[in-house]
Amino acid sequence: MLFRRYAAIREVGQALTAVATGQARVIECALEPGTAPDGSRFDAFTEVRWQTSYAYLAMLQAGAIAQERWLREQGLWTPRRDLVTQVAARHSRVAAEATTAGADQIEQAAVWARELLDRHWALVLRFADLLDRRGHLYGSHLRRALREGAQRPVSST
């Protein structure tokens, strides 16, 4: 299903960016609906322990950046789908604005996230496929893949 892959791209984009910063530890990514403590509903989640606010900001930016890129690469981008991406990123924007970071720092984190996604895009696509099929991934898989490099195939077992 298209929406499931779209959600997987967001979650893996955030998770892989967090790991690639070297300043965060991903516990798990999952395509699993639920309700957050604040009552908001979600279709997926990524559990991360970050060491710096800059890594946190980069991770928050990465989901929407990854989704927009994927939509464009698949020839699926439309203004309406872009609006959906922006609405879905609302929680991330609110979280970024709730930090003590200024607009310049948030923008710099977005640039960093884009650079990390560009560098590891092949892994984002592979792991999004894996997350879509399995429904969950562990951070150890992402860390190992980054250590070993994008050249080695990712096992689906």
Side-chain angles (χ1 to χ4, degrees):
M1 175 174 7
L2 185 61
F3 183 76
R4 186 174 167 91
R5 180 59 56 101
Y6 178 74
I9 290 288
R10 179 187 63 238
E11 296 308 313
V12 171
Q14 288 181 329
L16 201 59
T17 297
V19 172
T21 68
Q23 300 171 15
R25 184 170 159 258
V26 172
I27 310 303
E28 179 183 14
C29 282
L31 295 179
E32 182 177 300
T35 305
D38 67 1
S40 61
R41 300 195 45 76
F42 57 85
D43 55 1
F45 71 89
T46 298
E47 183 180 355
V48 180
R49 304 287 185 267
W50 47 87
Q51 298 163 341
T52 68
S53 60
Y54 199 51
Y56 176 62
L57 290 171
M59 180 203 71
L60 290 173
Q61 305 295 319
I65 293 168
Q67 284 181 313
E68 180 184 352
R69 177 176 176 167
W70 180 77
L71 285 171
R72 288 183 185 280
E73 287 182 357
Q74 300 299 309
L76 298 170
W77 188 93
T78 64
R80 186 177 183 105
R81 286 186 177 134
D82 187 53
L83 179 60
V84 170
T85 299
Q86 298 313 311
V87 169
R90 181 179 51 85
H91 182 269
S92 293
R93 278 193 308 280
V94 169
E97 291 166 1
T99 69
T100 59
D104 287 345
Q105 291 173 306
I106 293 171
E107 181 55 35
Q108 288 172 344
V111 169
W112 190 26
R114 188 169 272 106
E115 289 170 359
L116 292 170
L117 287 167
D118 286 347
R119 186 177 311 142
H120 301 293
W121 189 246
L123 283 175
V124 171
L125 296 175
R126 279 193 239 162
F127 275 103
D129 179 61
L130 198 57
L131 179 58
D132 187 8
R133 287 186 283 123
R134 283 183 166 179
H136 75 279
L137 291 173
Y138 294 105
S140 59
H141 297 128
L142 299 170
R143 289 189 297 275
R144 185 172 56 240
L146 284 176
R147 277 195 311 270
E148 293 173 358
Q151 302 305 316
R152 188 168 176 179
V154 177
S155 171
S156 63
T157 57

